[in-house]
Amino acid sequence: QAQLMESGGGSAQSGGSLRLSCLASGYINSGYCIGWFRQAPGKEREGVASLESDDSTVYSDSVKGRFTISQDKAKNMLYLQLNSLKPEDTAMYYCAAYAADDYCTGSLKPVRYQYWGQGTQVTVSS
């Protein structure tokens, strides 16, 4: 069973950067698919970035070109680099995982994911 713990959130000015980390135990070599999500107050949770089985990256249109997902399998870590931050990026950010049936397709659909971290808050001021 995957266990996830995010860190690295905080406050930033518009145009600034943050790096989020997610310690993921028990999944890297066990056929799990992983991704980053966010949820702003009063809004539905949305997919931000995900990885396919061949390490190809998938991004939502709202963050494409500004955010970068990466992983360090040796350390069981997943990262999300947030650049050129905007006030609308303010949200609770979550890493999530699900057991892959076969190939990780880079899904950005929250319903697909079984395991979630507790979240880390990102607040961007203008």
Side-chain angles (χ1 to χ4, degrees):
Q1 178 173 335
Q3 294 180 330
L4 307 163
M5 182 178 295
E6 304 92 339
S7 61
S11 299
Q13 295 284 331
S14 181
S17 298
L18 287 170
R19 189 192 195 201
L20 307 184
S21 299
C22 174
L23 176 60
S25 61
Y27 89 92
I28 292 292
N29 296 313
S30 301
Y32 282 84
C33 303
I34 51 177
W36 284 98
F37 295 79
R38 67 184 181 185
Q39 187 167 19
K43 295 188 177 181
E44 293 186 355
R45 190 168 296 187
E46 63 171 345
V48 173
S50 184
L51 290 168
E52 298 184 13
S53 291
D54 64 357
D55 292 337
S56 296
T57 54
V58 178
Y59 298 98
S60 67
D61 288 343
S62 61
V63 307
K64 195 174 298 181
R66 301 188 298 120
F67 292 7
T68 303
I69 186 173
S70 62
Q71 64 178 341
D72 184 333
K73 292 184 179 181
K75 297 181 179 179
N76 285 353
M77 294 295 294
L78 180 69
Y79 302 102
L80 187 67
Q81 178 69 38
L82 289 64
N83 295 332
S84 302
L85 282 164
K86 304 175 181 179
E88 51 263 43
D89 294 320
T90 295
M92 187 73 78
Y93 283 71
Y94 302 88
C95 62
Y98 68 92
D101 296 327
D102 183 11
Y103 184 85
C104 294
T105 61
S107 176
L108 294 178
K109 297 180 180 180
V111 67
R112 189 68 179 88
Y113 289 74
Q114 299 168 285
Y115 306 103
W116 294 83
Q118 84 289 348
T120 185
Q121 178 68 37
V122 171
T123 302
V124 184
S125 57
S126 57

